[in-house]
Amino acid sequence: MRRCAFRVGVLALAAGTLLAQRRYTPGDVQDGQRLFLSNCAACHGVEGDAVPGVDLGRGKFRRAASDDDLTRIIQKGIDGTAMPPSNFTVFQAGTIVAYLRDMAAAAARGSRPAGDPGQGKMVFEGKGACTTCHRVKGSGARTGPELTDIGALRRAVEIEQSIVDPDAEVLPQNRYFRVVTKEGAAITGRLLNQDAFTVQLFDEKERLLSLAKSDLKEYAFLDKSAMPSYRGKLTPQELANLVSYLVSLKGVDKQ
């Protein structure tokens, strides 16, 4: 009996060590991001710093010293606090831990200057010419993603990456669709819908188009983002200001 208990103890210790030392994959981080934003960000904030004394995005925790601790807290919550238990499996909780570790690593690498949202708005509407594609609070074009609540959906480091390296990650809902007619005309835009016979697009001229597939030579999603890279086009301070402005966009103010 003692030998059996010893074996169980060794297995439990080994499992805990493996979890604590796990090397997470990009897929783990992506899955964890999705779970965090849909389940945790409402209280902790997109950056993980909305709870006083806790900064998940920079690895600052009150009661956790290891990945095991974080996984346990995510699953079981913390008695006597606003942190509730969850229905996440060990694997799902582990992907959230992967995302938190990735956030902290990105924060440690980052060294951007402090940004000014007001100056960033000027970059957005002026030098950056962002309103030619994007819309904020009813102002701007509709060909690119709506940005009114981007600060509630994406972290500063992710927003910065989308500005300087837009091809690094293209969200499925932001992928552009390209069709070529049998006459050779190419049309690019956001795919609204397609069925067995037609393709519906919102093109770069903000036109709603319904095209018969029988009239098309080819049609497919583009692999790269339609967003141009601003790497080297903005100074570090301008970039920091622009990111700060976008982070400040949390949605339309309720009257």
Side-chain angles (χ1 to χ4, degrees):
M1 184 71 178
R2 291 176 60 188
R3 180 177 297 177
C4 180
F6 174 75
R7 287 179 178 173
V8 171
V10 170
L11 288 173
L13 178 61
T17 301
L18 286 173
L19 181 59
Q21 297 179 350
R22 181 178 176 186
R23 300 182 68 176
Y24 300 108
T25 68
D28 293 333
V29 174
Q30 187 175 28
D31 289 343
Q33 178 187 34
R34 176 178 53 81
L35 291 175
F36 180 87
L37 292 177
S38 60
N39 295 276
C40 312
C43 293
H44 286 283
V46 175
E47 298 282 350
D49 58 357
V51 176
V54 176
D55 193 340
L56 304 180
R58 287 176 168 75
K60 182 180 179 182
F61 313 110
R62 285 180 181 172
R63 294 175 171 84
S66 68
D67 288 9
D68 281 351
D69 294 338
L70 289 170
T71 300
R72 183 172 57 254
I73 290 172
I74 291 169
Q75 285 191 291
K76 298 183 178 180
I78 302 174
D79 291 338
T81 74
M83 178 68 186
S86 71
N87 294 320
F88 292 131
T89 65
V90 172
F91 177 79
Q92 289 173 321
T95 64
I96 296 176
V97 173
Y99 179 59
L100 298 182
R101 294 305 191 195
D102 185 71
M103 288 175 70
R109 292 192 301 268
S111 59
R112 76 175 71 88
D116 180 287
Q119 293 295 317
K121 187 173 187 291
M122 294 175 63
V123 174
F124 185 86
E125 297 174 348
K127 183 176 181 178
C130 305
T131 56
T132 58
C133 294
H134 298 285
R135 194 172 183 84
V136 172
K137 298 181 180 179
S139 177
R142 295 182 175 88
T143 55
E146 165 74 48
L147 299 180
T148 297
D149 59 352
I150 188 65
L153 302 174
R154 306 284 281 173
R155 293 184 292 141
V157 65
E158 295 164 342
I159 292 174
E160 180 174 331
Q161 181 186 55
S162 70
I163 295 171
V164 299
D165 188 10
D167 290 335
E169 180 187 17
V170 184
L171 298 179
Q173 65 268 29
N174 294 337
R175 292 178 65 192
Y176 260 46
F177 200 79
R178 181 175 183 268
V179 303
V180 179
T181 67
K182 290 182 177 179
E183 290 74 28
I187 304 171
T188 303
R190 287 190 288 124
L191 179 66
L192 301 179
N193 185 48
Q194 68 170 316
D195 53 36
F197 305 102
T198 62
V199 171
Q200 289 83 47
L201 284 179
F202 187 73
D203 77 355
E204 295 176 312
K205 297 179 181 179
E206 298 194 17
R207 299 178 301 177
L208 292 172
L209 303 178
S210 181
L211 306 168
K213 287 185 175 180
S214 59
D215 294 332
L216 302 178
K217 182 167 60 176
E218 59 184 69
Y219 50 91
F221 281 106
L222 297 178
D223 293 330
K224 294 187 176 182
S225 172
M227 168 89 175
S229 172
Y230 281 80
R231 189 186 301 277
K233 298 178 181 178
L234 300 176
T235 67
Q237 187 61 63
E238 288 172 334
L239 178 60
N241 291 341
L242 178 57
V243 171
S244 182
Y245 168 63
L246 294 173
V247 168
S248 74
L249 299 177
K250 307 293 187 182
V252 178
D253 297 331
K254 295 182 179 180
Q255 300 297 328

